């Protein structure tokens, strides 16, 4: 049976656009870098198709990107994505964006497969918002060491003041000295891992402490860029946040 294009598109977005790739136009390429980006997304609590679309718009402004989006695992807190069962699953890509949200998945064998894609000469990563609460139930730190932060809870939604923790970093690009987020969650960072470095911090309204909200991590020689913001679409439509993400993607990929 022939599927009409619109129906096929709807079907793809329902099941998660596994392997869906879209080449941006090469027009005006100039010195724009070329990137192959994998986005792994899905799970609880957020609008992943819309977030992914915003991410793509932001990075497409800076680079010519071939996108692969794996949106799987439903809307719950416990799932395992089949992609990670593939040996060398990360190899075809220049950078992997982890925007998945599975707090109750804790199988150490599964987690080892994920981080293996980034270890020792593996593929760089960008980790966003609920990636930091994914695999939270795990008793091992294997995922947290990869992220560069340990977080198990967040403060209420509010508009959080964010300030730079470093004068300059290539991942920050146009990031202002101070920025107030749209309504978002502040993730409480229990630990910044030794090879991670905070680039920007946000202040809790509850305890008055500054917590890393943007950071970079050196995971066994692999670049990781992270931010804990990104709960609602208001953040994903904020130009400061989008430029931050795009800058992080390019820096992680070594294309800054
Ligand atoms: Zn959230």
């Amino acid at each position: 049976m022939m599927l009409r294009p619109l129906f096929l598109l709807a079907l793809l977005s329902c099941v998660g656009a596994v392997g869906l790739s879209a080449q941006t136009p090469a027009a005006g390429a100039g010195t724009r870098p070329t990137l192959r980006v994998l986005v792994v997304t899905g799970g609880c609590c957020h609008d992943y198709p819309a977030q992914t679309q915003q991410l793509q718009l932001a990075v497409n402004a800076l680079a010519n990107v071939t996108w692969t989006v794996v949106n799987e695992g439903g809307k719950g807190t416990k799932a395992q994505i089949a992609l990670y069962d593939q040996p060398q699953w990360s190899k075809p890509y220049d950078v992997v964006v982890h925007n998945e949200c599975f707090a109750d998945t804790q199988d150490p064998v599964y987690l080892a497969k994920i981080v293996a894609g980034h270890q020792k000469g593996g593929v760089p990563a960008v980790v966003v918002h609920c990636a930091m609460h994914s695999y939270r139930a795990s008793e091992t730190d294997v995922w947290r060491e990869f992220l560069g932060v340990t977080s198990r809870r967040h403060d209420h939604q509010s508009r959080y003041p964010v300030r730079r923790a470093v004068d300059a970093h290539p991942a920050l690009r146009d990031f202002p000295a101070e920025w107030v987020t749209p309504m978002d969650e502040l993730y409480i960072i229990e630990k910044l891992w030794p090879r991670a470095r905070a680039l920007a911090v946000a202040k809790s309204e509850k305890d008055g402490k500054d917590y890393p909200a943007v950071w970079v991590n050196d995971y066994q020689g692999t670049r990781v860029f992270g931010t804990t913001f990104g709960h609602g679409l208001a953040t994903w439509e904020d130009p400061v946040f989008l430029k931050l993400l795009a800058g992080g993607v390019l820096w992680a990929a070594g294309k800054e």
Side-chain angles (χ1 to χ4, degrees):
M1 184 179 73
M2 287 286 289
L3 293 174
R4 291 167 57 198
L6 269 180
F7 175 78
L8 185 60
L9 194 62
L11 187 67
L12 278 171
S13 57
C14 285
V15 299
V18 181
L20 181 62
S21 296
Q23 183 83 48
T24 55
T31 58
R32 287 160 57 91
T34 298
L35 281 180
R36 299 161 298 168
V37 181
L38 168 66
V39 182
V40 183
T41 195
C44 176
C45 309
H46 309 96
D47 184 346
Y48 296 111
Q51 291 185 0
T52 302
Q53 191 172 36
Q54 291 299 100
L55 170 72
Q56 290 174 321
L57 285 173
V59 184
N60 286 349
L62 300 178
N64 298 326
V65 186
T66 301
W67 293 95
T68 302
V69 179
V70 174
N71 182 346
E72 291 185 2
K75 298 190 175 188
T77 61
K78 192 172 186 180
Q80 295 195 5
I81 292 175
L83 165 82
Y84 297 133
D85 286 329
Q86 298 174 17
Q88 301 189 304
W89 62 267
S90 64
K91 200 169 183 193
Y93 309 102
D94 297 307
V95 61
V96 177
V97 178
H98 287 282
N99 191 25
E100 68 254 56
C101 190
F102 301 109
D104 294 319
T105 300
Q106 57 179 307
D107 177 2
V109 174
Y110 176 73
L111 298 184
K113 288 179 194 170
I114 304 176
V115 298
H118 303 291
Q119 284 169 332
K120 295 177 183 163
V123 175
V126 171
V127 293
V128 183
H129 192 58
C130 203
M132 267 53 72
H133 285 175
S134 286
Y135 321 125
R136 193 169 51 184
S138 168
E139 293 178 1
T140 76
D141 278 332
V142 62
W143 177 251
R144 298 168 196 126
E145 181 185 5
F146 157 69
L147 298 173
V149 296
T150 297
S151 177
R152 300 171 205 269
R153 65 189 176 90
H154 61 74
D155 277 2
H156 58 282
Q157 289 191 38
S158 187
R159 298 196 65 202
Y160 285 98
V162 181
R163 64 175 176 79
R164 275 177 178 255
V166 295
D167 287 336
H169 188 281
L172 289 181
R173 289 187 167 239
D174 303 326
F175 195 74
E178 295 182 354
W179 170 54
V180 177
T181 68
M183 290 295 284
D184 208 323
E185 298 165 342
L186 177 68
Y187 277 31
I188 302 303
I189 304 296
E190 294 172 20
K191 173 179 177 177
L192 185 68
W193 282 71
R195 299 184 71 82
R197 178 186 180 201
L199 300 185
V201 296
K203 190 177 288 297
S204 166
E205 293 175 346
K206 287 187 173 171
D207 64 16
K209 292 182 182 171
D210 284 336
Y211 291 98
V214 181
W215 65 94
V216 288
N217 188 30
D218 174 352
Y219 179 61
Q220 303 180 4
T222 298
R223 286 185 175 188
V224 178
F225 173 91
T227 178
T228 45
F229 288 122
H231 175 74
L233 278 185
T235 298
W236 288 86
E237 290 170 349
D238 185 301
V240 172
F241 181 73
L242 292 175
K243 282 186 184 175
L244 177 70
L245 276 185
V249 169
L250 263 64
W251 173 82
K255 307 277 189 179
E256 73 273 20

